[in-house]
Amino acid sequence: MNAAATRPPASAWPPHGPTPIRAILFDKDGTLFDFRRTWLAAYRGAAAELAELAGLRPWFVDALLARHGYDPAGGTFTAESPLLWATTHDLAALWSAEPELAAIGDVERRLERRFSDLDAYPPVPLTDLVGLFERLRARGLKLGIATMDGTAATEATLVRVAARELVDFLACCDGGHRRKPDPGMVLGFCAAVGVAPREVAVVGDHLADLAMARAAGAGLAIAVLTGGCPAAALETEADLVLRSVAELESALAGRII
């Protein structure tokens, strides 16, 4: 499949023609930032720390990630892997339930410290985000981010790449908009920036992003292949599938007011 700006099925377009897009809601990790170079590295670091505390050998790092949907040999994830979407709280609960780690009482605190360390695990943008956001804003678009990461970490990440002032709205796992795939993040964005759901394009790398868009009645559900979710799974659910967010502007040609 040519993933560059593939045309959506006819059923995705309203009978009277496509509604113009006035706002874009982005997922963060895997969509705007390189998931493997940041989060996968942080997962490995956290797992190694826990393994050492539990007196386990290094092999446990790969074993732990494999139990939760990551294939270390192939470098791939299952579509259902919680490593792709879970909050830190969720992941801590899953890892704490592993028999080898049951005696470690502060797993969540350790994960929080690891995952918030932007010096050890710096966010790596998947394109020139400042340039992309500035061009989109110059065309009158409102921009938002919907992520299962926390507000403080998301703010710090955007500040680090000088993009915070270019984003109109943040919906994070602790922001009161419920969690993906609930439509709350999209609806909160719409209310904050004054657009209807059909005027919003949701861009993400996971099935939860696409399901959130559908549940909210978003105008477009766009998948990018830069995350960990298998392409075959995304292709069945998205209106558009792009190689990366760098292709977004050309993909939306004719839909932006």
Side-chain angles (χ1 to χ4, degrees):
M1 174 179 181
N2 181 1
T6 54
R7 185 170 180 79
S11 61
W13 306 111
H16 57 277
T19 301
I21 295 299
R22 298 177 56 207
I24 303 175
L25 186 63
F26 296 93
D27 171 57
K28 180 168 71 75
D29 301 300
T31 300
L32 299 175
F33 295 93
D34 191 314
F35 178 82
R36 285 176 169 80
R37 293 175 66 182
T38 52
W39 282 93
L40 184 54
Y43 288 158
R44 286 191 174 280
E49 177 182 338
L50 296 176
E52 183 176 0
L53 283 171
L56 301 169
R57 295 188 178 184
W59 62 262
F60 182 74
V61 172
D62 281 347
L64 179 62
L65 298 183
R67 293 175 192 177
H68 297 283
Y70 177 65
D71 176 9
T76 59
F77 294 85
T78 65
E80 300 78 18
S81 172
L83 300 172
L84 298 176
W85 58 264
T87 65
T88 300
H89 177 76
D90 293 334
L91 197 61
L94 289 171
W95 287 14
S96 294
E98 297 293 341
E100 299 93 336
L101 304 179
I104 301 175
D106 59 348
V107 170
E108 184 168 358
R109 181 185 64 81
R110 291 178 181 277
L111 296 191
E112 288 278 7
R113 177 174 52 78
R114 284 276 178 177
F115 298 165
S116 64
D117 189 346
L118 300 186
D119 292 322
Y121 310 106
V124 180
L126 286 161
T127 190
D128 173 12
L129 294 184
V130 170
L132 174 62
F133 289 174
E134 286 179 341
R135 291 190 300 273
L136 293 172
R137 287 172 62 90
R139 300 184 68 173
L141 290 162
K142 297 295 186 180
L143 306 181
I145 290 178
T147 176
M148 296 296 279
D149 201 3
T151 301
T154 300
E155 294 268 9
T157 297
L158 293 173
V159 168
R160 191 177 182 100
V161 299
R164 178 62 186 96
E165 298 304 315
L166 301 174
V167 177
D168 301 294
F169 176 83
L170 296 181
C172 304
C173 67
D174 55 356
H177 297 286
R178 302 182 67 84
R179 296 167 41 156
K180 302 175 186 180
D182 186 275
M185 290 184 174
V186 179
L187 300 179
F189 177 48
C190 292
V193 303
V195 300
R198 67 180 181 277
E199 298 173 312
V200 175
V202 174
V203 185
D205 69 308
H206 194 266
L207 295 174
D209 300 307
L210 305 179
M212 175 181 69
R214 299 290 186 219
L220 282 174
I222 302 175
V224 291
L225 300 179
T226 44
C229 194
L234 296 172
E235 289 165 0
T236 64
E237 301 297 331
D239 295 324
L240 298 171
V241 181
L242 309 178
R243 283 186 290 263
S244 82
V245 73
E247 297 179 340
L248 182 64
E249 291 166 280
S250 61
L252 289 179
R255 291 294 301 268
I256 300 177
I257 59 173

